[in-house]
PDB file of all heavy atoms in Angstrom:
ATOM      1  N   MET A   4      10.527  -3.081  -3.718  1.00  0.00           N
ATOM      2  CA  MET A   4      11.401  -1.809  -3.381  1.00  0.00           C
ATOM      3  C   MET A   4      11.331  -1.513  -1.873  1.00  0.00           C
ATOM      4  O   MET A   4      11.987  -0.475  -1.422  1.00  0.00           O
ATOM      5  CB  MET A   4      10.961  -0.674  -4.226  1.00  0.00           C
ATOM      6  CG  MET A   4       9.519  -0.140  -3.984  1.00  0.00           C
ATOM      7  SD  MET A   4       8.354  -1.245  -4.878  1.00  0.00           S
ATOM      8  CE  MET A   4       6.855  -0.012  -4.849  1.00  0.00           C
ATOM      9  N   ALA A   5      10.608  -2.292  -1.121  1.00  0.00           N
ATOM     10  CA  ALA A   5      10.622  -2.119   0.298  1.00  0.00           C
ATOM     11  C   ALA A   5      11.868  -2.721   1.049  1.00  0.00           C
ATOM     12  O   ALA A   5      12.064  -2.477   2.283  1.00  0.00           O
ATOM     13  CB  ALA A   5       9.349  -2.777   1.010  1.00  0.00           C
ATOM     14  N   SER A   6      12.689  -3.348   0.181  1.00  0.00           N
ATOM     15  CA  SER A   6      13.911  -3.967   0.956  1.00  0.00           C
ATOM     16  C   SER A   6      15.110  -3.649   0.142  1.00  0.00           C
ATOM     17  O   SER A   6      15.132  -3.578  -1.089  1.00  0.00           O
ATOM     18  CB  SER A   6      13.690  -5.514   0.966  1.00  0.00           C
ATOM     19  OG  SER A   6      14.841  -6.150   1.299  1.00  0.00           O
ATOM     20  N   GLY A   7      16.202  -3.448   0.875  1.00  0.00           N
ATOM     21  CA  GLY A   7      17.476  -3.274   0.246  1.00  0.00           C
ATOM     22  C   GLY A   7      18.046  -4.431  -0.619  1.00  0.00           C
ATOM     23  O   GLY A   7      19.080  -4.281  -1.316  1.00  0.00           O
ATOM     24  N   SER A   8      17.358  -5.589  -0.295  1.00  0.00           N
ATOM     25  CA  SER A   8      17.901  -6.705  -1.102  1.00  0.00           C
ATOM     26  C   SER A   8      17.338  -6.685  -2.540  1.00  0.00           C
ATOM     27  O   SER A   8      17.743  -7.483  -3.350  1.00  0.00           O
ATOM     28  CB  SER A   8      17.425  -8.093  -0.405  1.00  0.00           C
ATOM     29  OG  SER A   8      15.948  -8.147  -0.447  1.00  0.00           O
ATOM     30  N   ASN A   9      16.361  -5.782  -2.882  1.00  0.00           N
ATOM     31  CA  ASN A   9      15.713  -5.733  -4.100  1.00  0.00           C
ATOM     32  C   ASN A   9      15.285  -4.307  -4.400  1.00  0.00           C
ATOM     33  O   ASN A   9      14.091  -3.999  -4.707  1.00  0.00           O
ATOM     34  CB  ASN A   9      14.521  -6.687  -4.316  1.00  0.00           C
ATOM     35  CG  ASN A   9      14.123  -6.878  -5.753  1.00  0.00           C
ATOM     36  OD1 ASN A   9      14.799  -6.426  -6.671  1.00  0.00           O
ATOM     37  ND2 ASN A   9      13.034  -7.523  -5.927  1.00  0.00           N
ATOM     38  N   PRO A  10      16.178  -3.345  -4.286  1.00  0.00           N
ATOM     39  CA  PRO A  10      15.779  -1.966  -4.298  1.00  0.00           C
ATOM     40  C   PRO A  10      15.409  -1.297  -5.674  1.00  0.00           C
ATOM     41  O   PRO A  10      14.758  -0.334  -5.811  1.00  0.00           O
ATOM     42  CB  PRO A  10      16.999  -1.156  -3.711  1.00  0.00           C
ATOM     43  CG  PRO A  10      18.201  -2.029  -4.169  1.00  0.00           C
ATOM     44  CD  PRO A  10      17.679  -3.470  -4.119  1.00  0.00           C
ATOM     45  N   GLY A  11      15.875  -1.888  -6.765  1.00  0.00           N
ATOM     46  CA  GLY A  11      15.653  -1.377  -8.046  1.00  0.00           C
ATOM     47  C   GLY A  11      16.893  -0.280  -8.265  1.00  0.00           C
ATOM     48  O   GLY A  11      17.705  -0.136  -7.410  1.00  0.00           O
ATOM     49  N   ASP A  12      16.778   0.443  -9.349  1.00  0.00           N
ATOM     50  CA  ASP A  12      17.802   1.322  -9.721  1.00  0.00           C
ATOM     51  C   ASP A  12      17.616   2.800  -9.326  1.00  0.00           C
ATOM     52  O   ASP A  12      18.499   3.553  -9.291  1.00  0.00           O
ATOM     53  CB  ASP A  12      17.980   1.301 -11.282  1.00  0.00           C
ATOM     54  CG  ASP A  12      18.309  -0.091 -11.756  1.00  0.00           C
ATOM     55  OD1 ASP A  12      19.396  -0.573 -11.492  1.00  0.00           O
ATOM     56  OD2 ASP A  12      17.474  -0.779 -12.588  1.00  0.00           O
ATOM     57  N   GLY A  13      16.353   3.122  -9.000  1.00  0.00           N
ATOM     58  CA  GLY A  13      16.079   4.503  -8.628  1.00  0.00           C
ATOM     59  C   GLY A  13      14.686   4.751  -8.353  1.00  0.00           C
ATOM     60  O   GLY A  13      13.804   3.871  -8.562  1.00  0.00           O
ATOM     61  N   MET A  14      14.385   5.983  -7.920  1.00  0.00           N
ATOM     62  CA  MET A  14      13.030   6.317  -7.480  1.00  0.00           C
ATOM     63  C   MET A  14      12.852   7.842  -7.709  1.00  0.00           C
ATOM     64  O   MET A  14      13.790   8.667  -7.534  1.00  0.00           O
ATOM     65  CB  MET A  14      12.725   6.015  -6.008  1.00  0.00           C
ATOM     66  CG  MET A  14      11.320   6.415  -5.504  1.00  0.00           C
ATOM     67  SD  MET A  14      11.141   5.795  -3.829  1.00  0.00           S
ATOM     68  CE  MET A  14       9.392   6.472  -3.483  1.00  0.00           C
ATOM     69  N   VAL A  15      11.642   8.203  -8.217  1.00  0.00           N
ATOM     70  CA  VAL A  15      11.251   9.621  -8.369  1.00  0.00           C
ATOM     71  C   VAL A  15       9.890   9.770  -7.740  1.00  0.00           C
ATOM     72  O   VAL A  15       9.015   9.007  -7.892  1.00  0.00           O
ATOM     73  CB  VAL A  15      11.261  10.075  -9.832  1.00  0.00           C
ATOM     74  CG1 VAL A  15      10.406   9.189 -10.726  1.00  0.00           C
ATOM     75  CG2 VAL A  15      10.913  11.511  -9.978  1.00  0.00           C
ATOM     76  N   VAL A  16       9.791  10.858  -6.839  1.00  0.00           N
ATOM     77  CA  VAL A  16       8.571  11.257  -6.260  1.00  0.00           C
ATOM     78  C   VAL A  16       8.179  12.540  -7.010  1.00  0.00           C
ATOM     79  O   VAL A  16       8.679  13.643  -6.742  1.00  0.00           O
ATOM     80  CB  VAL A  16       8.738  11.458  -4.777  1.00  0.00           C
ATOM     81  CG1 VAL A  16       7.294  11.785  -4.192  1.00  0.00           C
ATOM     82  CG2 VAL A  16       9.210  10.245  -4.137  1.00  0.00           C
ATOM     83  N   VAL A  17       7.061  12.388  -7.882  1.00  0.00           N
ATOM     84  CA  VAL A  17       6.697  13.524  -8.750  1.00  0.00           C
ATOM     85  C   VAL A  17       5.197  13.478  -8.906  1.00  0.00           C
ATOM     86  O   VAL A  17       4.648  12.590  -9.486  1.00  0.00           O
ATOM     87  CB  VAL A  17       7.424  13.446 -10.065  1.00  0.00           C
ATOM     88  CG1 VAL A  17       7.238  12.059 -10.806  1.00  0.00           C
ATOM     89  CG2 VAL A  17       6.915  14.561 -10.974  1.00  0.00           C
ATOM     90  N   PRO A  18       4.509  14.477  -8.329  1.00  0.00           N
ATOM     91  CA  PRO A  18       5.004  15.581  -7.602  1.00  0.00           C
ATOM     92  C   PRO A  18       5.111  15.169  -6.129  1.00  0.00           C
ATOM     93  O   PRO A  18       4.650  14.092  -5.710  1.00  0.00           O
ATOM     94  CB  PRO A  18       3.997  16.727  -7.670  1.00  0.00           C
ATOM     95  CG  PRO A  18       2.690  15.824  -7.879  1.00  0.00           C
ATOM     96  CD  PRO A  18       3.056  14.650  -8.660  1.00  0.00           C
ATOM     97  N   CYS A  19       5.949  15.964  -5.371  1.00  0.00           N
ATOM     98  CA  CYS A  19       6.279  15.535  -3.977  1.00  0.00           C
ATOM     99  C   CYS A  19       5.739  16.562  -2.988  1.00  0.00           C
ATOM    100  O   CYS A  19       6.114  17.767  -3.143  1.00  0.00           O
ATOM    101  CB  CYS A  19       7.802  15.415  -3.856  1.00  0.00           C
ATOM    102  SG  CYS A  19       8.308  14.891  -2.262  1.00  0.00           S
ATOM    103  N   THR A  20       4.859  16.191  -2.090  1.00  0.00           N
ATOM    104  CA  THR A  20       4.398  17.135  -1.095  1.00  0.00           C
ATOM    105  C   THR A  20       5.463  17.440  -0.019  1.00  0.00           C
ATOM    106  O   THR A  20       6.420  16.717   0.079  1.00  0.00           O
ATOM    107  CB  THR A  20       3.158  16.558  -0.303  1.00  0.00           C
ATOM    108  OG1 THR A  20       3.529  15.319   0.356  1.00  0.00           O
ATOM    109  CG2 THR A  20       2.097  16.221  -1.244  1.00  0.00           C
ATOM    110  N   MET A  21       5.295  18.520   0.571  1.00  0.00           N
ATOM    111  CA  MET A  21       6.202  18.824   1.710  1.00  0.00           C
ATOM    112  C   MET A  21       6.101  17.858   2.822  1.00  0.00           C
ATOM    113  O   MET A  21       7.096  17.498   3.549  1.00  0.00           O
ATOM    114  CB  MET A  21       5.981  20.200   2.232  1.00  0.00           C
ATOM    115  CG  MET A  21       6.263  21.287   1.249  1.00  0.00           C
ATOM    116  SD  MET A  21       8.093  21.386   0.697  1.00  0.00           S
ATOM    117  CE  MET A  21       7.888  20.666  -0.909  1.00  0.00           C
ATOM    118  N   GLY A  22       4.921  17.255   3.015  1.00  0.00           N
ATOM    119  CA  GLY A  22       4.783  16.246   3.977  1.00  0.00           C
ATOM    120  C   GLY A  22       5.579  14.989   3.646  1.00  0.00           C
ATOM    121  O   GLY A  22       6.243  14.355   4.595  1.00  0.00           O
ATOM    122  N   ALA A  23       5.444  14.539   2.456  1.00  0.00           N
ATOM    123  CA  ALA A  23       6.219  13.327   1.949  1.00  0.00           C
ATOM    124  C   ALA A  23       7.750  13.601   2.073  1.00  0.00           C
ATOM    125  O   ALA A  23       8.458  12.843   2.604  1.00  0.00           O
ATOM    126  CB  ALA A  23       5.859  12.999   0.617  1.00  0.00           C
ATOM    127  N   LEU A  24       8.107  14.862   1.650  1.00  0.00           N
ATOM    128  CA  LEU A  24       9.585  15.146   1.758  1.00  0.00           C
ATOM    129  C   LEU A  24      10.033  15.196   3.210  1.00  0.00           C
ATOM    130  O   LEU A  24      11.192  14.653   3.422  1.00  0.00           O
ATOM    131  CB  LEU A  24       9.796  16.529   1.123  1.00  0.00           C
ATOM    132  CG  LEU A  24      11.173  17.068   0.843  1.00  0.00           C
ATOM    133  CD1 LEU A  24      11.261  17.847  -0.449  1.00  0.00           C
ATOM    134  CD2 LEU A  24      11.698  17.890   2.016  1.00  0.00           C
ATOM    135  N   ALA A  25       9.270  15.712   4.114  1.00  0.00           N
ATOM    136  CA  ALA A  25       9.720  15.745   5.445  1.00  0.00           C
ATOM    137  C   ALA A  25       9.777  14.347   6.061  1.00  0.00           C
ATOM    138  O   ALA A  25      10.677  14.087   6.835  1.00  0.00           O
ATOM    139  CB  ALA A  25       8.629  16.622   6.300  1.00  0.00           C
ATOM    140  N   ALA A  26       8.859  13.455   5.695  1.00  0.00           N
ATOM    141  CA  ALA A  26       8.896  12.107   6.202  1.00  0.00           C
ATOM    142  C   ALA A  26      10.090  11.407   5.648  1.00  0.00           C
ATOM    143  O   ALA A  26      10.707  10.549   6.481  1.00  0.00           O
ATOM    144  CB  ALA A  26       7.582  11.370   5.829  1.00  0.00           C
ATOM    145  N   ILE A  27      10.485  11.615   4.492  1.00  0.00           N
ATOM    146  CA  ILE A  27      11.619  10.982   3.897  1.00  0.00           C
ATOM    147  C   ILE A  27      12.868  11.531   4.526  1.00  0.00           C
ATOM    148  O   ILE A  27      13.818  10.731   4.871  1.00  0.00           O
ATOM    149  CB  ILE A  27      11.692  11.206   2.353  1.00  0.00           C
ATOM    150  CG1 ILE A  27      10.427  10.426   1.704  1.00  0.00           C
ATOM    151  CG2 ILE A  27      13.025  10.694   1.706  1.00  0.00           C
ATOM    152  CD1 ILE A  27      10.209  10.894   0.298  1.00  0.00           C
ATOM    153  N   ALA A  28      12.937  12.776   4.741  1.00  0.00           N
ATOM    154  CA  ALA A  28      14.104  13.473   5.286  1.00  0.00           C
ATOM    155  C   ALA A  28      14.355  12.900   6.741  1.00  0.00           C
ATOM    156  O   ALA A  28      15.546  12.801   7.182  1.00  0.00           O
ATOM    157  CB  ALA A  28      13.993  14.977   5.367  1.00  0.00           C
ATOM    158  N   ASN A  29      13.333  12.549   7.404  1.00  0.00           N
ATOM    159  CA  ASN A  29      13.516  12.058   8.841  1.00  0.00           C
ATOM    160  C   ASN A  29      13.343  10.538   8.955  1.00  0.00           C
ATOM    161  O   ASN A  29      13.178  10.070  10.191  1.00  0.00           O
ATOM    162  CB  ASN A  29      12.430  12.857   9.677  1.00  0.00           C
ATOM    163  CG  ASN A  29      12.843  14.264   9.841  1.00  0.00           C
ATOM    164  OD1 ASN A  29      13.772  14.662  10.572  1.00  0.00           O
ATOM    165  ND2 ASN A  29      12.208  15.140   9.040  1.00  0.00           N
ATOM    166  N   GLY A  30      13.288   9.804   7.913  1.00  0.00           N
ATOM    167  CA  GLY A  30      13.414   8.365   8.036  1.00  0.00           C
ATOM    168  C   GLY A  30      12.197   7.720   8.631  1.00  0.00           C
ATOM    169  O   GLY A  30      12.208   6.676   9.303  1.00  0.00           O
ATOM    170  N   MET A  31      10.899   8.328   8.315  1.00  0.00           N
ATOM    171  CA  MET A  31       9.806   7.863   8.995  1.00  0.00           C
ATOM    172  C   MET A  31       9.422   6.507   8.592  1.00  0.00           C
ATOM    173  O   MET A  31       9.019   5.561   9.437  1.00  0.00           O
ATOM    174  CB  MET A  31       8.636   8.759   8.740  1.00  0.00           C
ATOM    175  CG  MET A  31       8.817  10.254   9.147  1.00  0.00           C
ATOM    176  SD  MET A  31       9.212  10.284  10.946  1.00  0.00           S
ATOM    177  CE  MET A  31       7.665   9.827  11.680  1.00  0.00           C
ATOM    178  N   SER A  32       9.407   6.127   7.255  1.00  0.00           N
ATOM    179  CA  SER A  32       9.164   4.813   6.765  1.00  0.00           C
ATOM    180  C   SER A  32       7.805   4.134   7.328  1.00  0.00           C
ATOM    181  O   SER A  32       7.721   3.009   7.626  1.00  0.00           O
ATOM    182  CB  SER A  32      10.312   3.824   7.091  1.00  0.00           C
ATOM    183  OG  SER A  32      11.460   4.220   6.406  1.00  0.00           O
ATOM    184  N   GLU A  33       6.721   4.958   7.322  1.00  0.00           N
ATOM    185  CA  GLU A  33       5.475   4.510   7.864  1.00  0.00           C
ATOM    186  C   GLU A  33       4.567   3.983   6.745  1.00  0.00           C
ATOM    187  O   GLU A  33       3.490   3.503   7.034  1.00  0.00           O
ATOM    188  CB  GLU A  33       4.790   5.696   8.596  1.00  0.00           C
ATOM    189  CG  GLU A  33       5.467   6.148   9.836  1.00  0.00           C
ATOM    190  CD  GLU A  33       4.740   7.113  10.664  1.00  0.00           C
ATOM    191  OE1 GLU A  33       3.861   7.716  10.156  1.00  0.00           O
ATOM    192  OE2 GLU A  33       5.064   7.382  11.911  1.00  0.00           O
ATOM    193  N   ASN A  34       4.944   4.112   5.510  1.00  0.00           N
ATOM    194  CA  ASN A  34       4.197   3.541   4.397  1.00  0.00           C
ATOM    195  C   ASN A  34       5.185   3.116   3.287  1.00  0.00           C
ATOM    196  O   ASN A  34       6.411   3.353   3.449  1.00  0.00           O
ATOM    197  CB  ASN A  34       3.134   4.432   3.874  1.00  0.00           C
ATOM    198  CG  ASN A  34       3.750   5.871   3.469  1.00  0.00           C
ATOM    199  OD1 ASN A  34       4.714   5.944   2.720  1.00  0.00           O
ATOM    200  ND2 ASN A  34       3.122   6.820   3.933  1.00  0.00           N
TER     201      ASN A  34
END
C-alpha cells in the first residue's frame, strides 16, 4: 500500500490522532 501501483481498495485510520490527521492533510508521508 506504499505505492499507487498496488494501493488496495481503501484505508481506515481508527482511531486517528490529530497528529496523524495533520500529517495526512499536509502530505508528509514520513512513515
